[in-house]
Amino acid sequence: MDDDLEDDFDAVACEDDPLDAENFNAIDYINKQFPNEDSLTGLAGFIGQLKSQEREIEGSIRKAIRRQAAFGHRAKADLGDAKLAVRELFERIKAIRAKAEQSEDLVSDVCRDIKSLDIAKRNLTLTVTALKRLVMLVTALEQLRSTAECRHYDQASGLIHAVEELSGHFQELSHVARVADLLERKAAVLSDLKQQILDDYLCLHGGIGSASRLELLPEGWGTAAAKCVEALGPGMKREVVTQFCLRTLEGYKDIFQPPKEASGLETAERRFAWLKRTLREYDDKYKSQFPESWRVPCGLCDLFCHVTRQHLVEILDISHHTVDPELMVRVLLKSIEFENELARKWSDAPDEEADVPDSGSNSAMLGLKYPDVLSAKAGGKVSSSAKSSVAKDGRSDQFAPRFRGIISECFDAYLSTWVKHEEKQLLEVLQALAVNDKMVGQDDNDEDDEDEVQQRYLYKSAPEIFAAMRGSMQECARFSTHNTLFDVFQVFRKIMSQYASKLSNLLPAGHKACDAEGVKSVCCVIGTAEYCDETLPLLEESLLKIISSDFQERICFQDEQEVLRNLVNRANDALVQSVSCSLDEAFGSMTRTNWAAFSQDVGDHSAFVGDISEKLPKQFEPIAAHLSKIHYRFFCDKFVQSFVARFVAEVYKCKKISERGAQQLLLDTALIKTTLLEAPVVAGHGRQMPTAYSNYVLREMGKAEIMLKVLSSPDVDAASITAMLGDSSEDPVVQQLLALRAGDASSSAGSVEQQFRQEADRFAAAGVPSIGSTMNYLGDALNKGARASEDLKKISGDMKKNFQKLGFPSSLGVNFGNMGKKGGTG
């Protein structure tokens, strides 16, 4: 019905009508149909056409409505017919199902007897099979018993397999009395057979009745008995091997069981010799009686190690406080060597974990080690690798014990005695070296000048102490890389702390000047502390390569290095104080001078300056000779800092300073500055100081010169002092300088003389002695009064020539003729 409607509308819409367009626009459509007034003549026809089209559409709609109404009634009738057909179908299905059930009941009644017969046949078959197996089991048990009594072990091994297989079928019937009795009988027969085999193997060692039993054994019984043992299972094989080995070790226990005479540590090597002798005896007497796959020698070695371990635990538990630690370590190393030998001989896995050297174990140097077992205390747990007994062929009964550490790990709980012994030994070495310590020289490749090899001095005890500690470390690493080696590291820290204390005691107490030997001793303290500070990281690196990874994060000598660096600083301070104290007399002379009334000519340095210039190179010389270049420079830097601060403080101690006194101090300061620059170079035999040192001396002493220039300037106040000192000057400094100034009653002629002498000194210091001498001569002329104008003109001419030599313009010359006239009339 819907399809018919769609066909109607499609018929109408199939025409290409612009009115059906989706983007229909009425105005455009009308303009298209009637583009001008002339086209309006067809308007009536166009409207008629539209009305005709409208009528056609309305007719189609009415036709579609009628068709829809007719089809709706038809569809309702069809739906009713379909429902009626479905109900009829359901009724037929019910009838078919009922007939099927009746047929099934009929078939079951027919087949019931057949099914019962089938079940009876199957049960009868199972019963017959079980009876046959039961008869076979009884027969096999009887044959096994008789063959066992006759020691026909070849036949018995096959019967054992048959009995085990047959009895497996009756495990589910063990609740039946007859079956239970039969299984118990089987167990009794096998138990008697096991005991008989154990007794047969036991007679190999001799004893009461062993000879008569051996006569009953047929020739080659060992091979047949081995097959029988294999048939009885891996437990029987282990029992046979264990019993044989324990019986063999009875003689060992009689000799070495504590507290027998031969049980001590000093006879430990005899234990290992006994085992080697016993293994040779086994090869001669018993090897043919045991299959090689049983590895009886391996089991003997394993039990020997366990018994030996127990003996050593008893011995160490009683005597570890009194036993010789070196003997204990010697026995431990011998045990390790013995274990490694057994492991190489009996290990099924060549790539066993213990054979693979750890990346940090340094095994190439220290030999084979097994840190995985040394951490365990006496009686510790066996590692997972020791629990595994699976051989290469996949058999779980393969005997593969773990030998590495099986004896030696029991020593780990008692190695603290050895650590204390090593500590005592190192302390004794330290004490002995400290008593008769000597100073030695050591080449020092300076980083700044690689071609120049410097000699630094240190105490002979330092290299020997480190050599002793390295020896202890290597000795410990041979048998322990866990707790014991870490305890040794703690001992090293204690030794270094005590050594640093001994070095500290060598420094002079208080502030005093040291003699040449005292200076050399302090310099050696610096060199020794520096050597220790450089060597400790190397010792730490060696420890990290050896010790277990569990302890690596705790290996650090940082605190000890900090103590050594502080010791170096204190020793440098002591050298600075020593040199500074040697200048006490010179500075005392400076402060005792009455600078307020100073009236001498300013032309030569003061006496205290000469004393400083004489003492500084002498004091620096032994220091430069015994310190490395870097520490010598460090000392010079610290000393000049201390000296400049003290010099300024000594200037303030002078209380009052006149202008002439300040000028004299300014001259002295220039000479002291030169001395500070030259003394380290002279003492170092031409070894140049860094530019930073010179810059510091010039800068800091320049500040002192500025202060003295302020004091030497006439008529200054706070503002002018601030201007001379610069923006960085502080008000307390200005006030102190004002307080230092003293009044000056010198005549104007004296001021002129002073001015000329200052200029003369300045030019003389600049390297122009002719000008300085000329101006000194001029000053003398002014003091004597009138002079002949010819002499003044001559002096003026000489001055002009000297100024022109220096490159100054001729206009810079002074008219000394006029000055002479003023002097004459003054």
Side-chain angles (χ1 to χ4, degrees):
M1 177 181 61
D2 294 335
D3 294 338
D4 296 335
L5 292 175
E6 291 177 359
D7 293 339
D8 294 337
F9 287 110
D10 289 340
V12 176
C14 64
E15 300 177 0
D16 189 9
D17 193 349
L19 297 176
D20 295 331
E22 294 180 358
N23 55 350
F24 174 74
N25 191 319
I27 297 176
D28 293 340
Y29 180 75
I30 293 172
N31 290 333
K32 184 178 180 181
Q33 295 295 329
F34 306 101
N36 47 44
E37 292 181 3
D38 296 336
S39 62
L40 292 176
T41 55
L43 178 59
F46 179 73
I47 292 174
Q49 183 180 354
L50 290 177
K51 288 181 178 181
S52 175
Q53 188 175 355
E54 181 183 0
R55 285 192 297 271
E56 289 179 1
I57 292 174
E58 288 179 355
S60 299
I61 292 174
R62 284 194 298 270
K63 190 182 296 182
I65 291 173
R66 293 191 190 99
R67 189 181 296 114
Q68 177 65 29
F71 283 129
H73 294 296
R74 188 185 305 170
K76 189 179 295 184
D78 293 340
L79 180 60
D81 295 340
K83 288 180 179 181
L84 182 59
V86 169
R87 282 196 296 269
E88 291 178 357
L89 180 61
F90 283 160
E91 292 296 334
R92 291 181 181 181
I93 291 174
K94 288 180 181 180
I96 293 172
R97 182 179 295 173
K99 291 180 180 180
E101 291 176 356
Q102 293 175 2
S103 299
E104 185 177 359
D105 293 339
L106 180 61
V107 170
S108 297
D109 293 339
V110 172
C111 297
R112 182 177 294 112
D113 296 335
I114 299 174
K115 186 181 296 183
S116 298
L117 292 174
D118 184 62
I119 293 173
K121 180 182 177 182
R122 185 167 60 251
N123 292 337
L124 183 59
T125 303
L126 292 175
T127 303
V128 172
T129 303
L131 289 174
K132 288 181 180 180
R133 288 174 177 171
L134 188 61
V135 172
M136 293 172 63
L137 177 59
V138 172
T139 305
L141 284 174
E142 185 62 26
Q143 292 178 357
L144 178 61
R145 184 186 61 79
S146 61
T147 54
E149 290 178 355
C150 299
R151 290 180 170 78
H152 296 161
Y153 292 131
D154 281 328
Q155 300 177 13
S157 62
L159 290 172
I160 290 172
H161 290 295
V163 168
E164 292 293 346
E165 183 178 357
L166 291 171
S167 62
H169 296 291
F170 296 98
Q171 294 298 327
E172 296 181 356
L173 300 175
S174 59
H175 59 281
V176 179
R178 288 296 182 88
V179 174
D181 293 340
L182 187 60
L183 293 177
E184 290 179 2
R185 182 182 173 188
K186 184 210 74 167
V189 171
L190 293 180
S191 178
D192 294 341
L193 177 60
K194 289 180 181 178
Q195 188 60 45
Q196 179 178 311
I197 293 175
L198 290 174
D199 293 340
D200 291 345
Y201 277 108
L202 192 61
C203 72
L204 294 175
H205 290 288
I208 300 175
S210 298
S212 59
R213 178 179 283 275
L214 284 174
E215 294 177 358
L216 298 176
L217 296 176
E219 185 177 356
W221 69 273
T223 304
K227 293 180 180 179
C228 196
V229 171
E230 294 281 357
L232 289 172
M236 181 60 185
K237 182 178 69 176
R238 285 195 296 270
E239 189 174 355
V240 170
V241 174
T242 302
Q243 176 185 268
F244 176 82
C245 295
L246 290 176
R247 186 63 181 270
T248 305
L249 291 173
E250 288 296 329
Y252 174 74
K253 294 179 182 179
D254 292 339
I255 301 173
F256 298 101
Q257 177 76 38
K260 294 185 182 296
E261 183 178 355
S263 63
L265 291 179
E266 60 276 2
T267 61
E269 294 188 12
R270 289 177 53 190
R271 295 173 179 268
F272 308 137
W274 182 94
L275 178 63
K276 293 179 181 179
R277 186 171 61 253
T278 302
L279 291 175
R280 289 195 298 269
E281 182 181 352
Y282 169 83
D283 291 338
D284 296 337
K285 293 183 179 181
Y286 310 115
K287 185 175 182 180
S288 60
Q289 304 297 335
F290 296 95
E292 187 176 355
S293 61
W294 286 14
R295 296 168 54 140
V296 176
C298 180
L300 180 61
C301 294
D302 180 57
L303 289 175
F304 170 84
C305 292
H306 282 287
V307 173
T308 303
R309 173 195 174 100
Q310 184 60 37
H311 289 177
L312 294 177
V313 167
E314 294 179 17
I315 296 170
L316 292 172
D317 192 47
I318 297 173
S319 62
H320 71 278
H321 294 294
T322 58
V323 72
D324 183 7
E326 294 183 356
L327 173 62
M328 181 171 61
V329 170
R330 188 164 61 250
V331 174
L332 172 58
L333 293 175
K334 190 65 179 178
S335 301
I336 293 173
E337 180 182 354
F338 175 71
E339 292 164 358
N340 289 333
E341 182 180 351
L342 292 181
R344 286 190 294 267
K345 183 176 181 180
W346 299 111
S347 176
D348 277 336
D351 56 344
E352 185 178 347
E353 180 182 359
D355 284 334
V356 179
D358 186 73
S359 60
S361 65
N362 199 12
S363 60
M365 178 183 70
L366 301 173
L368 293 172
K369 296 184 294 300
Y370 35 88
D372 55 324
V373 298
L374 282 179
S375 60
K377 299 296 183 181
K381 296 182 179 179
V382 180
S383 63
S384 58
S385 60
K387 296 179 181 179
S388 176
S389 60
V390 180
K392 291 181 179 179
D393 57 0
R395 293 180 59 187
S396 61
D397 61 339
Q398 186 66 31
F399 186 59
R402 184 260 306 174
F403 286 107
R404 298 184 188 275
I406 196 171
I407 297 175
S408 55
E409 67 182 8
C410 70
F411 286 86
D412 196 62
Y414 308 101
L415 286 176
S416 58
T417 303
W418 179 82
V419 174
K420 293 178 182 178
H421 172 72
E422 284 298 302
E423 181 179 353
K424 181 180 178 182
Q425 292 284 90
L426 290 175
L427 290 175
E428 290 176 357
V429 171
L430 179 61
Q431 188 67 27
L433 292 175
V435 172
N436 299 317
D437 214 351
K438 296 180 181 179
M439 302 178 187
V440 295
Q442 185 187 45
D443 293 339
D444 177 29
N445 293 327
D446 198 289
E447 296 179 357
D448 297 335
D449 188 1
E450 296 181 358
D451 297 333
E452 182 180 1
V453 178
Q454 297 293 330
Q455 189 86 354
R456 70 173 176 186
Y457 289 83
L458 63 150
Y459 286 107
K460 185 181 178 181
S461 58
E464 295 184 2
I465 283 293
F466 276 98
M469 289 193 295
R470 287 184 183 276
S472 297
M473 176 191 68
Q474 293 175 358
E475 179 72 12
C476 181
R478 295 173 63 188
F479 53 83
S480 175
T481 58
H482 282 73
N483 290 322
T484 305
L485 186 55
F486 183 74
D487 293 340
V488 170
F489 159 71
Q490 298 286 17
V491 171
F492 291 168
R493 294 186 62 187
K494 186 183 299 184
I495 294 297
M496 288 311 305
S497 298
Q498 294 197 16
Y499 190 57
S501 299
K502 290 185 179 295
L503 292 177
S504 179
N505 294 333
L506 298 176
L507 299 180
H511 303 291
K512 63 179 182 180
C514 301
D515 56 6
E517 286 298 322
V519 170
K520 185 177 179 181
S521 177
V522 175
C523 292
C524 283
V525 168
I526 295 176
T528 305
E530 182 186 22
Y531 172 81
C532 295
D533 186 31
E534 293 173 352
T535 312
L536 277 177
L538 301 179
L539 181 62
E540 178 181 331
E541 183 179 352
S542 300
L543 279 168
L544 290 174
K545 289 181 179 179
I546 298 172
I547 200 165
S548 171
S549 58
D550 297 336
F551 296 89
Q552 288 183 353
E553 294 182 355
R554 299 161 64 183
I555 300 297
C556 181
F557 288 104
Q558 186 174 359
D559 294 341
E560 288 70 28
Q561 289 180 275
E562 189 65 26
V563 170
L564 291 170
R565 291 162 188 165
N566 292 334
L567 180 61
V568 171
N569 291 332
R570 288 173 51 204
N572 271 296
D573 292 338
L575 292 177
V576 171
Q577 290 295 334
S578 174
V579 178
S580 181
C581 290
S582 67
L583 304 179
D584 288 347
E585 184 177 351
F587 279 115
S589 175
M590 170 185 170
T591 55
R592 287 193 300 269
T593 302
N594 188 3
W595 297 103
F598 188 82
S599 59
Q600 301 176 11
D601 294 338
V602 181
D604 197 4
H605 61 76
S606 302
F608 78 91
V609 177
D611 193 11
I612 292 175
S613 300
E614 180 182 357
K615 286 185 176 180
L616 275 185
K618 292 181 179 180
Q619 292 291 329
F620 275 41
E621 186 172 357
I623 298 174
H626 295 92
L627 283 184
S628 61
K629 179 184 290 186
I630 185 171
H631 281 289
Y632 179 64
R633 291 175 177 177
F634 182 62
F635 158 76
C636 292
D637 291 339
K638 294 193 70 172
F639 173 76
V640 75
Q641 294 174 12
S642 173
F643 181 87
V644 172
R646 181 177 182 182
F647 179 75
V648 174
E650 296 292 344
V651 170
Y652 283 116
K653 288 181 182 179
C654 294
K655 297 181 180 179
K656 294 293 183 179
I657 303 176
S658 64
E659 292 182 14
R660 184 172 293 183
Q663 293 165 3
Q664 180 61 45
L665 285 175
L666 184 60
L667 178 64
D668 296 340
T669 302
L671 184 57
I672 290 174
K673 178 171 63 176
T674 303
T675 301
L676 291 175
L677 293 174
E678 294 177 353
V681 179
V682 173
H685 301 288
R687 186 191 301 173
Q688 296 297 322
M689 296 298 293
T691 306
Y693 174 83
S694 304
N695 292 339
Y696 181 84
V697 172
L698 295 174
R699 183 178 68 253
E700 297 302 323
M701 292 301 292
K703 294 179 181 179
E705 289 178 334
I706 293 175
M707 181 182 69
L708 294 172
K709 286 180 181 179
V710 170
L711 295 176
S712 64
S713 300
D715 301 330
V716 294
D717 53 10
S720 58
I721 291 176
T722 303
M724 295 179 70
L725 294 178
D727 297 335
S728 61
S729 61
E730 299 178 358
D731 186 66
V733 176
V734 175
Q735 297 301 324
Q736 288 176 354
L737 290 178
L738 289 174
L740 278 174
R741 287 182 56 81
D744 193 353
S746 300
S747 63
S748 60
S751 300
V752 172
E753 177 189 357
Q754 178 181 352
Q755 179 179 1
F756 279 115
R757 288 190 181 278
Q758 288 177 352
E759 294 297 327
D761 292 339
R762 184 170 65 84
F763 281 108
V768 192
S770 61
I771 297 178
S773 60
T774 303
M775 297 196 72
N776 287 333
Y777 176 76
L778 179 59
D780 293 338
L782 291 174
N783 286 334
K784 293 178 181 178
R787 261 311 165 85
S789 60
E790 291 82 2
D791 293 338
L792 292 176
K793 289 179 180 180
K794 183 179 178 181
I795 293 172
S796 176
D798 292 339
M799 290 293 294
K800 288 180 179 180
K801 290 178 182 180
N802 288 328
F803 276 121
Q804 289 174 0
K805 287 179 181 180
L806 294 174
F808 293 103
S810 59
S811 60
L812 190 62
V814 183
N815 191 345
F816 292 104
N818 296 332
M819 292 179 64
K821 293 178 181 179
K822 291 181 181 180
T825 58

